[in-house]
Amino acid sequence: MSKRPAPNVKSKSNRRSLAQVRQDNSEHILRVAERLFSERGYSGTTIMAIAEEACLPKANILYYFHTKEALYQGVLSNILKIWMLSMNDMTPEQHPRDALRDYIIKKIRQSKEYPHASRIFAAEVLHGAPFLRKQLETDLKEQFDKTCDVFRQWIAKKWMDPVHPEHLMFMLWSSTQAYADVQVQSCILLNKSELDDQDYNDGADFLVRMVLKGCGINPV
C-alpha cells in the first residue's frame, strides 16, 4: 500500500512568510509616508521621495499603493481605524471608570506612537476633508453613534452623570490628540526638545482625573 504524500508544509510556510513580508512592507511604507506627508504636505510629497526614504524601488511603492492619492488615503484610513478600534473597546457592560481610563491611556499612547498620522488627519479635516469625507460620513459616523449610545447606557444605569455624549466624545478626541497635533507648541512651553514618557503619563493621569470627575464617576 503506497503512502500518501505528506502535506507541503514548506509551501504553506512560504505563503505565510510572503504574506507577512507584504504586510511588513505595507506598514513600513505607511510609516514613512506618514512622516513625509506630515512634514511636506500632500503637494510637497512625491512617490519617489517616499521610495527613497523607505529604501525601496518606486515600483514597490506603486505595487502596494497604485497612486500617491491612494497612499495618502491609506495613511488617513490607517490612523482612523486605530482610533475607531479604541472606541469600539468601550462597551455597555464595562464601568465607565475603567472604560474611559483605558480609552484615554490608549489615545495618549497613540498620539505618541503616531504623531505624524494624527497631524495629517487634523490638516485634512481643517481643509474640509476632501480625501476623507466619505469615511467620516460612513465608518466614523457609525462608530461615533455606537460609542455615544454606550455613554447613554452608562447614564441610564446611573454610572455617570447625564453629560452630553457627543460633546464628551469631542472633548476626548481633542484633548488626547493635542499631544500629537500641537506637540511643537507644548515642547516650546515646557522648554523641551520633545515630550518624554513622563509627559505622556502625566497628561493621561490628568485627563483621566478630569474626565471622571467631570462625569461624576468615582475614580476608585
Side-chain angles (χ1 to χ4, degrees):
M1 181 176 179
S2 60
K3 293 183 179 180
R4 183 177 297 176
N8 190 343
V9 177
K10 183 177 180 182
S11 175
K12 290 181 180 179
S13 176
N14 286 343
R15 285 200 295 272
R16 286 197 299 272
S17 177
L18 180 59
Q20 186 60 55
V21 167
R22 287 174 174 168
Q23 181 179 341
D24 290 346
N25 282 344
S26 179
E27 291 176 356
H28 174 57
I29 292 168
L30 284 172
R31 295 309 293 265
V32 171
E34 281 176 17
R35 181 170 58 80
L36 292 188
F37 282 132
S38 175
E39 293 173 352
R40 306 178 186 181
Y42 180 79
S43 299
T45 303
T46 65
I47 290 291
M48 181 58 72
I50 293 170
E52 290 174 355
E53 289 288 327
C55 298
L56 291 170
K58 180 179 178 181
N60 281 34
I61 307 297
L62 294 174
Y63 171 79
Y64 292 98
F65 302 94
H66 300 313
T67 63
K68 183 173 79 167
E69 179 178 329
L71 179 50
Y72 182 72
Q73 289 179 320
V75 169
L76 292 169
S77 295
N78 188 55
I79 191 61
L80 188 57
K81 287 175 183 176
I82 291 170
W83 288 341
M84 289 193 299
L85 282 173
S86 296
M87 293 170 67
N88 196 53
D89 286 341
M90 293 188 282
T91 66
E93 295 74 28
Q94 287 180 297
H95 195 283
R97 176 185 57 246
D98 303 314
L100 289 171
R101 176 185 288 114
D102 290 346
Y103 177 74
I104 290 168
I105 291 171
K106 285 178 188 175
K107 283 292 271 87
I108 292 285
R109 184 173 66 244
Q110 289 159 5
S111 287
K112 177 186 176 184
E113 295 175 352
Y114 301 93
H116 299 296
S118 183
R119 290 172 203 143
I120 295 167
F121 186 94
E124 170 70 10
V125 172
L126 285 171
H127 286 87
F131 293 99
L132 195 59
R133 179 171 291 276
K134 183 177 180 181
Q135 202 167 0
L136 296 181
E137 293 173 341
T138 54
D139 298 339
L140 182 59
K141 183 65 168 69
E142 180 180 350
Q143 182 60 62
F144 177 78
D145 289 343
K146 180 180 178 181
T147 301
C148 288
D149 185 60
V150 169
F151 295 167
R152 291 188 177 90
Q153 292 186 57
W154 290 342
I155 292 168
K157 293 176 181 178
K158 300 189 183 305
W159 285 354
M160 61 189 287
D161 288 347
V163 299
H164 196 299
E166 289 79 7
H167 289 287
L168 174 58
M169 199 70 249
F170 296 155
M171 190 277 287
L172 290 170
W173 283 342
S174 61
S175 59
T176 54
Q177 288 162 223
Y179 285 84
D181 300 345
V182 293
Q183 186 183 102
V184 171
Q185 173 182 283
S186 300
C187 289
I188 291 171
L189 297 177
L190 292 172
N191 296 314
K192 292 185 172 186
S193 59
E194 61 181 21
L195 299 180
D196 56 33
D197 289 343
Q198 191 61 51
D199 294 316
Y200 292 105
N201 292 338
D202 289 345
D205 289 344
F206 172 76
L207 288 175
V208 167
R209 290 197 305 272
M210 184 178 70
V211 169
L212 295 188
K213 185 173 182 179
C215 292
I217 301 168
N218 190 332
V220 294

